[in-house]
Amino acid sequence: MTTSRQPVMRLLDLLGRRWTLRVLWELRDGPLTFRALREACGGVSPSVLNARVAELREAGVLEDAAEGYALSARGRELGELLLPLDAWARRWARRSSG
Amino acid sequence: MTTSRQPVMRLLDLLGRRWTLRVLWELRDGPLTFRALREACGGVSPSVLNARVAELREAGVLEDAAEGYALSARGRELGELLLPLDAWARRWARRSSG
DNA sequence: TCGGTCGCTACGAAAACCGTAGCGCGAGAT
DNA sequence: ATCTCGCGCTACGGTTTTCGTAGCGACCGA
């Protein structure tokens, strides 16, 4: 009840690792190669990126594609759940400045 | 254009730190004291929890309350955006097992 | 064969995180 | 006034994660 045995907490733990959310976000609108993904994420170190990719792949969220890496069907679903964060973040950016 | 100058990427960076999402999640249904929050998060070390709390406080997502820490109005909005993750995670948990 | 790009690994330095102990403070009881 | 208790939070040493850079082997077009 308190532990991460609940699915959502496992998910929160997975997403709460550096670059994971960002990778998901960048892959939302189409596949990217390893290097392109790396640059899209502002130049993460390849070791970390590879670790994240492996985790997401094992989680069934990301999969290999001809064009590089792509979100799976499940991953696309998850990506869409992340979408409203954009609107929220825009409103959020207008804090303490008016 | 590529960097985290875009609001959503700042947000993704904020949320992509260990325990941040979890803290948000645990605070969704009511305020918690520091120690209660700590236990709800499976016993995070207080130094890290304090850092996360400070970050979220500065971001205007979390605020001090009589009962401990509580989500701000904005924070509650963000918390609701996280809500569908629960349903997704449940479906996700039924992978590779049926 | 050569140049270019691909996914990915190696490895030392730096930063983040963990676990435990405990401080200073305010409230309630004696 | 003192004692006690739980509170938010800090200190600190050890472990893990992340970073930054360099580069390997494979593939492909010229």
mmCIF file of all heavy atoms in Angstrom, chain B residues 22-70:
data_model
loop_
_atom_site.group_PDB
_atom_site.id
_atom_site.type_symbol
_atom_site.label_atom_id
_atom_site.label_comp_id
_atom_site.label_asym_id
_atom_site.label_seq_id
_atom_site.Cartn_x
_atom_site.Cartn_y
_atom_site.Cartn_z
ATOM 1 N N ARG B 22 6.577 11.804 -7.558
ATOM 2 C CA ARG B 22 5.994 11.076 -6.440
ATOM 3 C C ARG B 22 5.442 12.014 -5.376
ATOM 4 O O ARG B 22 4.355 11.794 -4.838
ATOM 5 C CB ARG B 22 7.049 10.142 -5.849
ATOM 6 C CG ARG B 22 6.593 9.318 -4.663
ATOM 7 C CD ARG B 22 5.586 8.266 -5.067
ATOM 8 N NE ARG B 22 5.238 7.426 -3.948
ATOM 9 C CZ ARG B 22 5.830 6.256 -3.687
ATOM 10 N NH1 ARG B 22 6.758 5.782 -4.492
ATOM 11 N NH2 ARG B 22 5.474 5.540 -2.638
ATOM 12 N N VAL B 23 6.205 13.046 -5.071
ATOM 13 C CA VAL B 23 5.750 14.033 -4.098
ATOM 14 C C VAL B 23 4.445 14.667 -4.555
ATOM 15 O O VAL B 23 3.492 14.787 -3.779
ATOM 16 C CB VAL B 23 6.823 15.120 -3.899
ATOM 17 C CG1 VAL B 23 6.239 16.355 -3.232
ATOM 18 C CG2 VAL B 23 7.978 14.585 -3.067
ATOM 19 N N LEU B 24 4.412 15.043 -5.805
ATOM 20 C CA LEU B 24 3.198 15.610 -6.367
ATOM 21 C C LEU B 24 2.036 14.646 -6.210
ATOM 22 O O LEU B 24 0.931 15.036 -5.831
ATOM 23 C CB LEU B 24 3.422 15.915 -7.845
ATOM 24 C CG LEU B 24 3.268 17.361 -8.263
ATOM 25 C CD1 LEU B 24 4.239 18.233 -7.512
ATOM 26 C CD2 LEU B 24 3.476 17.504 -9.753
ATOM 27 N N TRP B 25 2.310 13.408 -6.529
ATOM 28 C CA TRP B 25 1.272 12.386 -6.474
ATOM 29 C C TRP B 25 0.737 12.213 -5.058
ATOM 30 O O TRP B 25 -0.468 12.161 -4.837
ATOM 31 C CB TRP B 25 1.824 11.069 -7.003
ATOM 32 C CG TRP B 25 0.799 10.006 -7.089
ATOM 33 C CD1 TRP B 25 0.536 9.035 -6.171
ATOM 34 C CD2 TRP B 25 -0.138 9.805 -8.148
ATOM 35 N NE1 TRP B 25 -0.493 8.249 -6.588
ATOM 36 C CE2 TRP B 25 -0.924 8.699 -7.801
ATOM 37 C CE3 TRP B 25 -0.374 10.460 -9.360
ATOM 38 C CZ2 TRP B 25 -1.939 8.226 -8.625
ATOM 39 C CZ3 TRP B 25 -1.393 9.981 -10.176
ATOM 40 C CH2 TRP B 25 -2.154 8.887 -9.812
ATOM 41 N N GLU B 26 1.632 12.131 -4.114
ATOM 42 C CA GLU B 26 1.228 11.877 -2.728
ATOM 43 C C GLU B 26 0.479 13.054 -2.126
ATOM 44 O O GLU B 26 -0.343 12.895 -1.234
ATOM 45 C CB GLU B 26 2.451 11.550 -1.872
ATOM 46 C CG GLU B 26 3.191 10.294 -2.277
ATOM 47 C CD GLU B 26 2.364 9.034 -2.093
ATOM 48 O OE1 GLU B 26 1.329 9.099 -1.393
ATOM 49 O OE2 GLU B 26 2.729 7.997 -2.658
ATOM 50 N N LEU B 27 0.765 14.226 -2.628
ATOM 51 C CA LEU B 27 0.129 15.434 -2.106
ATOM 52 C C LEU B 27 -1.214 15.713 -2.771
ATOM 53 O O LEU B 27 -1.928 16.643 -2.374
ATOM 54 C CB LEU B 27 1.070 16.618 -2.308
ATOM 55 C CG LEU B 27 1.648 17.281 -1.049
ATOM 56 C CD1 LEU B 27 1.844 16.288 0.067
ATOM 57 C CD2 LEU B 27 2.946 17.965 -1.375
ATOM 58 N N ARG B 28 -1.532 14.917 -3.791
ATOM 59 C CA ARG B 28 -2.746 15.150 -4.542
ATOM 60 C C ARG B 28 -3.996 15.126 -3.668
ATOM 61 O O ARG B 28 -4.872 15.971 -3.805
ATOM 62 C CB ARG B 28 -2.911 14.109 -5.635
ATOM 63 C CG ARG B 28 -2.669 14.610 -7.064
ATOM 64 C CD ARG B 28 -2.895 13.462 -7.954
ATOM 65 N NE ARG B 28 -2.988 12.401 -7.001
ATOM 66 C CZ ARG B 28 -3.817 11.413 -6.874
ATOM 67 N NH1 ARG B 28 -4.578 11.201 -7.670
ATOM 68 N NH2 ARG B 28 -3.851 10.539 -5.931
ATOM 69 N N ASP B 29 -4.056 14.165 -2.757
ATOM 70 C CA ASP B 29 -5.274 14.110 -1.947
ATOM 71 C C ASP B 29 -5.030 14.588 -0.525
ATOM 72 O O ASP B 29 -5.250 13.840 0.423
ATOM 73 C CB ASP B 29 -5.880 12.714 -1.971
ATOM 74 C CG ASP B 29 -4.835 11.638 -1.968
ATOM 75 O OD1 ASP B 29 -3.823 11.803 -1.251
ATOM 76 O OD2 ASP B 29 -5.004 10.652 -2.674
ATOM 77 N N GLY B 30 -4.593 15.824 -0.424
ATOM 78 C CA GLY B 30 -4.492 16.447 0.887
ATOM 79 C C GLY B 30 -3.086 16.738 1.349
ATOM 80 O O GLY B 30 -2.134 16.116 0.882
ATOM 81 N N PRO B 31 -2.961 17.684 2.263
ATOM 82 C CA PRO B 31 -1.665 18.093 2.795
ATOM 83 C C PRO B 31 -1.019 16.981 3.609
ATOM 84 O O PRO B 31 -1.710 16.103 4.141
ATOM 85 C CB PRO B 31 -2.023 19.275 3.718
ATOM 86 C CG PRO B 31 -3.415 19.674 3.374
ATOM 87 C CD PRO B 31 -4.078 18.458 2.854
ATOM 88 N N LEU B 32 0.280 17.047 3.688
ATOM 89 C CA LEU B 32 1.045 16.091 4.496
ATOM 90 C C LEU B 32 2.176 16.834 5.198
ATOM 91 O O LEU B 32 2.717 17.793 4.658
ATOM 92 C CB LEU B 32 1.634 14.990 3.610
ATOM 93 C CG LEU B 32 0.698 13.924 3.037
ATOM 94 C CD1 LEU B 32 1.445 13.004 2.104
ATOM 95 C CD2 LEU B 32 0.042 13.131 4.157
ATOM 96 N N THR B 33 2.519 16.373 6.364
ATOM 97 C CA THR B 33 3.683 16.935 7.048
ATOM 98 C C THR B 33 4.939 16.412 6.385
ATOM 99 O O THR B 33 4.902 15.450 5.613
ATOM 100 C CB THR B 33 3.706 16.529 8.522
ATOM 101 O OG1 THR B 33 3.919 15.116 8.599
ATOM 102 C CG2 THR B 33 2.410 16.883 9.213
ATOM 103 N N PHE B 34 6.037 17.055 6.709
ATOM 104 C CA PHE B 34 7.313 16.639 6.146
ATOM 105 C C PHE B 34 7.561 15.155 6.393
ATOM 106 O O PHE B 34 7.874 14.396 5.472
ATOM 107 C CB PHE B 34 8.433 17.465 6.774
ATOM 108 C CG PHE B 34 9.785 17.238 6.166
ATOM 109 C CD1 PHE B 34 10.196 17.976 5.068
ATOM 110 C CD2 PHE B 34 10.647 16.291 6.697
ATOM 111 C CE1 PHE B 34 11.458 17.771 4.503
ATOM 112 C CE2 PHE B 34 11.906 16.082 6.140
ATOM 113 C CZ PHE B 34 12.304 16.824 5.045
ATOM 114 N N ARG B 35 7.382 14.768 7.628
ATOM 115 C CA ARG B 35 7.650 13.376 7.971
ATOM 116 C C ARG B 35 6.657 12.413 7.330
ATOM 117 O O ARG B 35 7.030 11.318 6.901
ATOM 118 C CB ARG B 35 7.645 13.223 9.491
ATOM 119 C CG ARG B 35 8.943 13.691 10.129
ATOM 120 C CD ARG B 35 8.771 13.869 11.620
ATOM 121 N NE ARG B 35 9.869 13.315 12.401
ATOM 122 C CZ ARG B 35 10.908 14.032 12.844
ATOM 123 N NH1 ARG B 35 11.015 15.292 12.539
ATOM 124 N NH2 ARG B 35 11.836 13.459 13.578
ATOM 125 N N ALA B 36 5.415 12.813 7.262
ATOM 126 C CA ALA B 36 4.402 11.960 6.643
ATOM 127 C C ALA B 36 4.692 11.798 5.153
ATOM 128 O O ALA B 36 4.598 10.700 4.599
ATOM 129 C CB ALA B 36 3.017 12.551 6.859
ATOM 130 N N LEU B 37 5.060 12.904 4.543
ATOM 131 C CA LEU B 37 5.392 12.875 3.119
ATOM 132 C C LEU B 37 6.583 11.963 2.879
ATOM 133 O O LEU B 37 6.635 11.192 1.927
ATOM 134 C CB LEU B 37 5.701 14.295 2.656
ATOM 135 C CG LEU B 37 6.004 14.497 1.171
ATOM 136 C CD1 LEU B 37 4.903 13.948 0.302
ATOM 137 C CD2 LEU B 37 6.233 15.982 0.886
ATOM 138 N N ARG B 38 7.523 12.072 3.781
ATOM 139 C CA ARG B 38 8.707 11.237 3.717
ATOM 140 C C ARG B 38 8.340 9.748 3.743
ATOM 141 O O ARG B 38 8.828 8.964 2.932
ATOM 142 C CB ARG B 38 9.600 11.594 4.899
ATOM 143 C CG ARG B 38 10.881 10.861 4.967
ATOM 144 C CD ARG B 38 11.817 11.574 5.924
ATOM 145 N NE ARG B 38 12.536 10.681 6.810
ATOM 146 C CZ ARG B 38 13.513 9.870 6.410
ATOM 147 N NH1 ARG B 38 13.854 9.837 5.149
ATOM 148 N NH2 ARG B 38 14.125 9.095 7.265
ATOM 149 N N GLU B 39 7.468 9.391 4.646
ATOM 150 C CA GLU B 39 7.075 7.990 4.738
ATOM 151 C C GLU B 39 6.231 7.567 3.554
ATOM 152 O O GLU B 39 6.349 6.447 3.061
ATOM 153 C CB GLU B 39 6.325 7.738 6.039
ATOM 154 C CG GLU B 39 7.240 7.844 7.248
ATOM 155 C CD GLU B 39 6.659 7.162 8.470
ATOM 156 O OE1 GLU B 39 5.640 6.459 8.320
ATOM 157 O OE2 GLU B 39 7.216 7.323 9.572
ATOM 158 N N ALA B 40 5.379 8.478 3.097
ATOM 159 C CA ALA B 40 4.541 8.173 1.937
ATOM 160 C C ALA B 40 5.409 7.870 0.718
ATOM 161 O O ALA B 40 5.031 7.083 -0.145
ATOM 162 C CB ALA B 40 3.608 9.335 1.642
ATOM 163 N N CYS B 41 6.553 8.484 0.672
ATOM 164 C CA CYS B 41 7.464 8.277 -0.452
ATOM 165 C C CYS B 41 8.441 7.147 -0.176
ATOM 166 O O CYS B 41 9.529 7.083 -0.779
ATOM 167 C CB CYS B 41 8.219 9.558 -0.759
ATOM 168 S SG CYS B 41 7.193 10.868 -1.423
ATOM 169 N N GLY B 42 8.071 6.280 0.744
ATOM 170 C CA GLY B 42 8.885 5.105 0.973
ATOM 171 C C GLY B 42 10.171 5.379 1.728
ATOM 172 O O GLY B 42 11.105 4.584 1.681
ATOM 173 N N GLY B 43 10.213 6.523 2.424
ATOM 174 C CA GLY B 43 11.377 6.811 3.247
ATOM 175 C C GLY B 43 12.544 7.458 2.525
ATOM 176 O O GLY B 43 13.694 7.119 2.761
ATOM 177 N N VAL B 44 12.242 8.398 1.670
ATOM 178 C CA VAL B 44 13.316 9.151 1.013
ATOM 179 C C VAL B 44 14.179 9.805 2.061
ATOM 180 O O VAL B 44 13.694 10.145 3.137
ATOM 181 C CB VAL B 44 12.769 10.336 0.199
ATOM 182 C CG1 VAL B 44 13.519 10.478 -1.078
ATOM 183 C CG2 VAL B 44 11.296 10.289 0.039
ATOM 184 N N SER B 45 15.413 10.077 1.720
ATOM 185 C CA SER B 45 16.216 10.782 2.703
ATOM 186 C C SER B 45 15.745 12.228 2.795
ATOM 187 O O SER B 45 15.348 12.835 1.804
ATOM 188 C CB SER B 45 17.702 10.708 2.397
ATOM 189 O OG SER B 45 17.987 10.956 1.087
ATOM 190 N N PRO B 46 15.755 12.743 4.002
ATOM 191 C CA PRO B 46 15.203 14.065 4.253
ATOM 192 C C PRO B 46 15.912 15.163 3.472
ATOM 193 O O PRO B 46 15.275 16.148 3.096
ATOM 194 C CB PRO B 46 15.405 14.262 5.751
ATOM 195 C CG PRO B 46 16.347 13.223 6.181
ATOM 196 C CD PRO B 46 16.227 12.106 5.229
ATOM 197 N N SER B 47 17.182 14.989 3.220
ATOM 198 C CA SER B 47 17.893 16.023 2.467
ATOM 199 C C SER B 47 17.341 16.152 1.064
ATOM 200 O O SER B 47 17.097 17.255 0.575
ATOM 201 C CB SER B 47 19.385 15.714 2.444
ATOM 202 O OG SER B 47 19.621 14.342 2.293
ATOM 203 N N VAL B 48 17.120 15.024 0.426
ATOM 204 C CA VAL B 48 16.578 15.046 -0.925
ATOM 205 C C VAL B 48 15.146 15.565 -0.916
ATOM 206 O O VAL B 48 14.779 16.411 -1.737
ATOM 207 C CB VAL B 48 16.618 13.642 -1.557
ATOM 208 C CG1 VAL B 48 16.026 13.670 -2.946
ATOM 209 C CG2 VAL B 48 18.037 13.141 -1.603
ATOM 210 N N LEU B 49 14.373 15.075 0.026
ATOM 211 C CA LEU B 49 12.986 15.528 0.096
ATOM 212 C C LEU B 49 12.927 17.036 0.295
ATOM 213 O O LEU B 49 12.137 17.731 -0.344
ATOM 214 C CB LEU B 49 12.259 14.824 1.238
ATOM 215 C CG LEU B 49 10.791 15.227 1.395
ATOM 216 C CD1 LEU B 49 10.010 14.997 0.122
ATOM 217 C CD2 LEU B 49 10.152 14.511 2.564
ATOM 218 N N ASN B 50 13.780 17.516 1.156
ATOM 219 C CA ASN B 50 13.794 18.951 1.406
ATOM 220 C C ASN B 50 14.165 19.726 0.147
ATOM 221 O O ASN B 50 13.599 20.785 -0.137
ATOM 222 C CB ASN B 50 14.775 19.279 2.524
ATOM 223 C CG ASN B 50 14.670 20.723 2.948
ATOM 224 O OD1 ASN B 50 13.574 21.256 3.063
ATOM 225 N ND2 ASN B 50 15.807 21.351 3.150
ATOM 226 N N ALA B 51 15.091 19.196 -0.601
ATOM 227 C CA ALA B 51 15.476 19.843 -1.862
ATOM 228 C C ALA B 51 14.295 19.885 -2.821
ATOM 229 O O ALA B 51 14.015 20.922 -3.429
ATOM 230 C CB ALA B 51 16.648 19.098 -2.492
ATOM 231 N N ARG B 52 13.581 18.781 -2.938
ATOM 232 C CA ARG B 52 12.432 18.719 -3.845
ATOM 233 C C ARG B 52 11.349 19.683 -3.407
ATOM 234 O O ARG B 52 10.744 20.389 -4.212
ATOM 235 C CB ARG B 52 11.876 17.295 -3.888
ATOM 236 C CG ARG B 52 12.789 16.296 -4.533
ATOM 237 C CD ARG B 52 13.127 16.687 -5.950
ATOM 238 N NE ARG B 52 14.278 15.982 -6.443
ATOM 239 C CZ ARG B 52 15.532 16.406 -6.358
ATOM 240 N NH1 ARG B 52 15.795 17.571 -5.802
ATOM 241 N NH2 ARG B 52 16.539 15.705 -6.824
ATOM 242 N N VAL B 53 11.094 19.691 -2.113
ATOM 243 C CA VAL B 53 10.093 20.592 -1.569
ATOM 244 C C VAL B 53 10.464 22.042 -1.878
ATOM 245 O O VAL B 53 9.623 22.827 -2.307
ATOM 246 C CB VAL B 53 9.954 20.386 -0.043
ATOM 247 C CG1 VAL B 53 9.263 21.567 0.603
ATOM 248 C CG2 VAL B 53 9.183 19.113 0.256
ATOM 249 N N ALA B 54 11.728 22.359 -1.702
ATOM 250 C CA ALA B 54 12.188 23.727 -1.969
ATOM 251 C C ALA B 54 11.985 24.072 -3.438
ATOM 252 O O ALA B 54 11.506 25.159 -3.767
ATOM 253 C CB ALA B 54 13.650 23.861 -1.581
ATOM 254 N N GLU B 55 12.322 23.147 -4.313
ATOM 255 C CA GLU B 55 12.158 23.393 -5.741
ATOM 256 C C GLU B 55 10.693 23.607 -6.109
ATOM 257 O O GLU B 55 10.359 24.532 -6.849
ATOM 258 C CB GLU B 55 12.714 22.209 -6.541
ATOM 259 C CG GLU B 55 14.224 22.098 -6.502
ATOM 260 C CD GLU B 55 14.712 20.732 -6.954
ATOM 261 O OE1 GLU B 55 13.882 19.930 -7.427
ATOM 262 O OE2 GLU B 55 15.916 20.468 -6.821
ATOM 263 N N LEU B 56 9.850 22.738 -5.580
ATOM 264 C CA LEU B 56 8.428 22.838 -5.894
ATOM 265 C C LEU B 56 7.813 24.087 -5.272
ATOM 266 O O LEU B 56 6.900 24.687 -5.836
ATOM 267 C CB LEU B 56 7.688 21.585 -5.407
ATOM 268 C CG LEU B 56 8.012 20.310 -6.183
ATOM 269 C CD1 LEU B 56 7.366 19.103 -5.531
ATOM 270 C CD2 LEU B 56 7.550 20.443 -7.627
ATOM 271 N N ARG B 57 8.335 24.467 -4.140
ATOM 272 C CA ARG B 57 7.847 25.673 -3.488
ATOM 273 C C ARG B 57 8.221 26.882 -4.315
ATOM 274 O O ARG B 57 7.409 27.755 -4.561
ATOM 275 C CB ARG B 57 8.454 25.756 -2.092
ATOM 276 C CG ARG B 57 7.837 26.817 -1.225
ATOM 277 C CD ARG B 57 8.049 26.532 0.265
ATOM 278 N NE ARG B 57 9.356 25.909 0.538
ATOM 279 C CZ ARG B 57 9.689 25.404 1.710
ATOM 280 N NH1 ARG B 57 8.827 25.416 2.707
ATOM 281 N NH2 ARG B 57 10.865 24.860 1.885
ATOM 282 N N GLU B 58 9.449 26.902 -4.759
ATOM 283 C CA GLU B 58 9.913 28.022 -5.562
ATOM 284 C C GLU B 58 9.190 28.077 -6.905
ATOM 285 O O GLU B 58 9.005 29.148 -7.482
ATOM 286 C CB GLU B 58 11.414 27.927 -5.789
ATOM 287 C CG GLU B 58 12.017 29.222 -6.288
ATOM 288 C CD GLU B 58 13.437 29.042 -6.783
ATOM 289 O OE1 GLU B 58 13.973 27.924 -6.667
ATOM 290 O OE2 GLU B 58 14.000 30.008 -7.309
ATOM 291 N N ALA B 59 8.793 26.927 -7.376
ATOM 292 C CA ALA B 59 8.069 26.860 -8.643
ATOM 293 C C ALA B 59 6.605 27.255 -8.467
ATOM 294 O O ALA B 59 5.864 27.350 -9.437
ATOM 295 C CB ALA B 59 8.162 25.461 -9.234
ATOM 296 N N GLY B 60 6.203 27.452 -7.216
ATOM 297 C CA GLY B 60 4.833 27.856 -6.957
ATOM 298 C C GLY B 60 3.833 26.731 -7.079
ATOM 299 O O GLY B 60 2.650 26.945 -7.272
ATOM 300 N N VAL B 61 4.319 25.536 -6.943
ATOM 301 C CA VAL B 61 3.467 24.359 -7.082
ATOM 302 C C VAL B 61 3.021 23.863 -5.713
ATOM 303 O O VAL B 61 1.933 23.332 -5.541
ATOM 304 C CB VAL B 61 4.234 23.250 -7.822
ATOM 305 C CG1 VAL B 61 3.513 21.921 -7.745
ATOM 306 C CG2 VAL B 61 4.448 23.655 -9.277
ATOM 307 N N LEU B 62 3.888 24.066 -4.762
ATOM 308 C CA LEU B 62 3.647 23.583 -3.403
ATOM 309 C C LEU B 62 3.781 24.768 -2.458
ATOM 310 O O LEU B 62 4.532 25.699 -2.720
ATOM 311 C CB LEU B 62 4.710 22.530 -3.118
ATOM 312 C CG LEU B 62 4.848 21.836 -1.772
ATOM 313 C CD1 LEU B 62 5.474 20.476 -1.999
ATOM 314 C CD2 LEU B 62 5.718 22.644 -0.841
ATOM 315 N N GLU B 63 3.036 24.730 -1.361
ATOM 316 C CA GLU B 63 3.154 25.821 -0.390
ATOM 317 C C GLU B 63 2.959 25.305 1.021
ATOM 318 O O GLU B 63 2.420 24.225 1.238
ATOM 319 C CB GLU B 63 2.135 26.919 -0.714
ATOM 320 C CG GLU B 63 0.709 26.444 -0.714
ATOM 321 C CD GLU B 63 -0.239 27.435 -1.387
ATOM 322 O OE1 GLU B 63 0.247 28.407 -1.999
ATOM 323 O OE2 GLU B 63 -1.461 27.229 -1.297
ATOM 324 N N ASP B 64 3.407 26.091 1.965
ATOM 325 C CA ASP B 64 3.264 25.714 3.363
ATOM 326 C C ASP B 64 1.820 25.873 3.787
ATOM 327 O O ASP B 64 1.142 26.815 3.374
ATOM 328 C CB ASP B 64 4.161 26.583 4.232
ATOM 329 C CG ASP B 64 5.637 26.307 3.942
ATOM 330 O OD1 ASP B 64 5.907 25.460 3.065
ATOM 331 O OD2 ASP B 64 6.490 26.928 4.585
ATOM 332 N N ALA B 65 1.370 24.962 4.602
ATOM 333 C CA ALA B 65 0.012 25.031 5.127
ATOM 334 C C ALA B 65 0.076 24.704 6.610
ATOM 335 O O ALA B 65 1.107 24.283 7.120
ATOM 336 C CB ALA B 65 -0.886 24.039 4.389
ATOM 337 N N ALA B 66 -1.029 24.944 7.274
ATOM 338 C CA ALA B 66 -1.071 24.661 8.713
ATOM 339 C C ALA B 66 -0.818 23.174 8.963
ATOM 340 O O ALA B 66 -0.146 22.794 9.919
ATOM 341 C CB ALA B 66 -2.437 25.063 9.274
ATOM 342 N N GLU B 67 -1.306 22.343 8.055
ATOM 343 C CA GLU B 67 -1.192 20.892 8.231
ATOM 344 C C GLU B 67 0.098 20.333 7.654
ATOM 345 O O GLU B 67 0.258 19.125 7.572
ATOM 346 C CB GLU B 67 -2.382 20.190 7.571
ATOM 347 C CG GLU B 67 -3.735 20.781 7.914
ATOM 348 C CD GLU B 67 -4.138 21.878 6.943
ATOM 349 O OE1 GLU B 67 -3.248 22.356 6.201
ATOM 350 O OE2 GLU B 67 -5.313 22.268 6.934
ATOM 351 N N GLY B 68 0.980 21.198 7.186
ATOM 352 C CA GLY B 68 2.246 20.731 6.614
ATOM 353 C C GLY B 68 2.461 21.344 5.259
ATOM 354 O O GLY B 68 2.482 22.555 5.123
ATOM 355 N N TYR B 69 2.584 20.499 4.254
ATOM 356 C CA TYR B 69 2.737 20.984 2.886
ATOM 357 C C TYR B 69 1.486 20.673 2.088
ATOM 358 O O TYR B 69 0.883 19.618 2.236
ATOM 359 C CB TYR B 69 3.933 20.309 2.205
ATOM 360 C CG TYR B 69 5.245 20.631 2.855
ATOM 361 C CD1 TYR B 69 6.140 19.622 3.175
ATOM 362 C CD2 TYR B 69 5.590 21.934 3.144
ATOM 363 C CE1 TYR B 69 7.357 19.911 3.772
ATOM 364 C CE2 TYR B 69 6.804 22.233 3.739
ATOM 365 C CZ TYR B 69 7.679 21.222 4.047
ATOM 366 O OH TYR B 69 8.872 21.511 4.643
ATOM 367 N N ALA B 70 1.141 21.578 1.223
ATOM 368 C CA ALA B 70 -0.038 21.382 0.386
ATOM 369 C C ALA B 70 0.261 21.876 -1.020
ATOM 370 O O ALA B 70 1.117 22.737 -1.220
ATOM 371 C CB ALA B 70 -1.225 22.137 0.968
#
